[in-house]
């Protein structure tokens, strides 16, 4: 079987217990070496066959999987963070189905949640935002016109923008048009890694701060009032709020 495993955003201990266990048992590991810490490989068993997919094509990755399946070997496809978000796993799974190779997906911690943890903020604050938008700006990969960043920003939702730090000026220009006001923004480079960096600002000054710090890749852009605002407390722990596990005070 092929196991697609989310390795987490950086810190090797943010892989799930299940993911670590399966990694320890794998005969073959194909890992995204440009994004996944090679410290994960320290947990592999002796004699494991390791491939770095950073220099491989889809066909080469699938060929390793096919060969391993024929030899009765267990394969871990170790993806960065949470593989269902910008992980390009669908095309791999489709190929495995064509070749009748069984597989499973083990989720991981996403870089957007790792970034929120880094700045110690909550995306979904009562009276502020109950919606989180995960998106990116168009680059070599196009974005459907209905999902343009300017249009999404009009929702005033909390946002996590992936794969876009290299176009920070364009990101800010679209956000300003969409939000129509100056809102808080945070840039987290290499969230949860040992060399993580955090920059907090607003739409008016974040571009300059990012350029001064020379952040050009591996960064999450978090946008919205949740970063700095007044908010209503949750009813969940309100002493007057009744639910099935607690009777509220009258």
């Amino acid at each position: 079987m092929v196991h697609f495993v989310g390795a987490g955003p950086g810190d090797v201990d943010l892989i799930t217990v299940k993911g670590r266990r399966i990694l320890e048992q794998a005969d073959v590991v194909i890992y995204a070496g440009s994004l996944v810490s090679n410290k994960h490989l320290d947990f592999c068993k002796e004699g494991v066959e390791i491939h770095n997919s950073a220099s491989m094509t889809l066909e080469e990755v699938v060929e390793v999987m096919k060969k391993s399946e024929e030899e009765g070997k267990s394969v871990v496809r170790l993806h960065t963070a949470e593989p269902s978000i910008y992980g390009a796993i669908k095309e791999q799974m489709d190929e495995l189905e064509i070749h009748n190779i069984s597989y499973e997906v083990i989720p991981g911690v996403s870089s957007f949640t790792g970034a929120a943890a880094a700045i110690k903020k909550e995306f979904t604050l009562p009276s502020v935002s109950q919606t989180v938008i995960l998106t990116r700006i168009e680059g070599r990969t196009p974005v459907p016109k209905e999902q343009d960043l300017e249009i999404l920003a009009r929702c005033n939702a909390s946002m996590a923008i992936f794969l876009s730090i290299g176009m920070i000026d364009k990101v800010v220009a679209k956000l300003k048009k969409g939000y129509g006001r100056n809102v808080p923004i945070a840039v987290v480079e290499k969230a949860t890694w040992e060399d993580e960096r955090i920059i907090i600002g607003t739409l008016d000054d974040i571009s300059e701060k990012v350029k001064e710090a020379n952040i050009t890749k591996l960064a999450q852009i978090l946008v919205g009032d949740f970063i700095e605002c007044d908010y209503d407390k949750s009813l969940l722990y309100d002493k007057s709020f009744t639910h099935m596990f607690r009777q509220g005070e009258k």
Side-chain angles (χ1 to χ4, degrees):
M1 177 181 282
V2 174
H3 310 270
F4 290 90
V5 176
D11 184 338
V12 292
D13 288 334
L14 288 180
I15 192 172
T16 64
V17 173
K18 183 176 182 179
R20 173 69 57 76
R21 175 174 55 80
I22 291 176
L23 178 63
E24 291 172 338
Q25 298 170 354
D27 301 308
V28 179
V29 174
I30 309 170
Y31 81 109
S34 60
L35 298 169
V36 173
S37 172
N38 59 13
K39 291 182 179 180
H40 284 287
L41 305 181
D42 294 341
F43 296 90
C44 295
K45 67 183 181 183
E46 186 176 351
V48 66
E49 179 184 326
I50 295 174
H51 300 266
N52 185 346
S53 64
S55 59
M56 299 170 70
T57 64
L58 171 63
E59 291 76 17
E60 290 170 336
V61 169
V62 173
E63 187 58 36
V64 171
M65 295 176 175
K66 286 172 55 183
K67 182 175 180 293
S68 300
E69 172 73 8
E70 292 166 358
E71 295 174 353
K73 295 179 178 179
S74 171
V75 179
V76 164
R77 178 66 170 107
L78 193 61
H79 275 265
T80 183
E82 164 45 48
S84 68
I85 304 174
Y86 303 111
I89 62 170
K90 170 65 173 170
E91 58 198 40
Q92 298 174 68
M93 295 188 293
D94 286 347
E95 287 294 320
L96 293 180
E97 291 187 5
I98 289 172
H99 297 289
N100 294 314
I101 297 174
S102 59
Y103 63 89
E104 67 170 345
V105 181
I106 300 169
V109 176
S110 174
S111 58
F112 89 92
T113 54
I119 65 171
K120 300 179 176 67
K121 301 296 180 181
E122 179 183 349
F123 284 114
T124 51
L125 295 175
S127 74
V128 177
S129 177
Q130 293 293 288
T131 300
V132 184
I133 296 175
L134 312 182
T135 190
R136 63 170 298 173
I137 201 166
E138 68 276 4
R140 286 189 293 180
T141 299
V143 171
K145 62 180 182 179
E146 299 86 357
Q147 298 168 25
D148 183 83
L149 191 57
E150 178 182 342
I151 295 173
L152 297 179
R154 294 173 189 166
C155 298
N156 282 310
S158 303
M159 299 182 70
I161 304 173
F162 291 68
L163 305 169
S164 303
I165 193 63
M167 297 175 282
I168 188 64
D169 286 339
K170 187 175 181 181
V171 169
V172 168
K174 285 182 176 288
L175 290 174
K176 282 185 173 181
K177 289 181 179 178
Y179 279 102
R181 56 192 175 88
N182 193 25
V183 298
I185 184 167
V187 170
V188 183
E189 179 190 42
K190 301 187 75 173
T192 79
W193 291 74
E194 292 179 357
D195 54 348
E196 167 190 281
R197 288 195 292 171
I198 299 170
I199 295 178
I200 304 291
T202 67
L203 292 181
D204 285 344
D205 62 16
I206 196 66
S207 286
E208 182 179 351
K209 289 183 176 181
V210 165
K211 292 172 185 176
E212 287 178 354
N214 194 30
I215 297 177
T216 59
K217 59 182 180 179
L218 300 178
Q220 273 279 340
I221 304 171
L222 307 182
V223 192
D225 292 316
F226 76 95
I227 296 173
E228 187 63 46
C229 67
D230 295 325
Y231 64 97
D232 294 338
K233 291 184 179 179
S234 169
L235 291 176
L236 181 60
Y237 301 109
D238 189 303
K239 62 183 180 181
S240 64
F241 186 68
T242 297
H243 55 69
M244 64 184 295
F245 297 105
R246 188 187 70 230
Q247 292 297 311
E249 297 179 6
K250 295 183 178 179

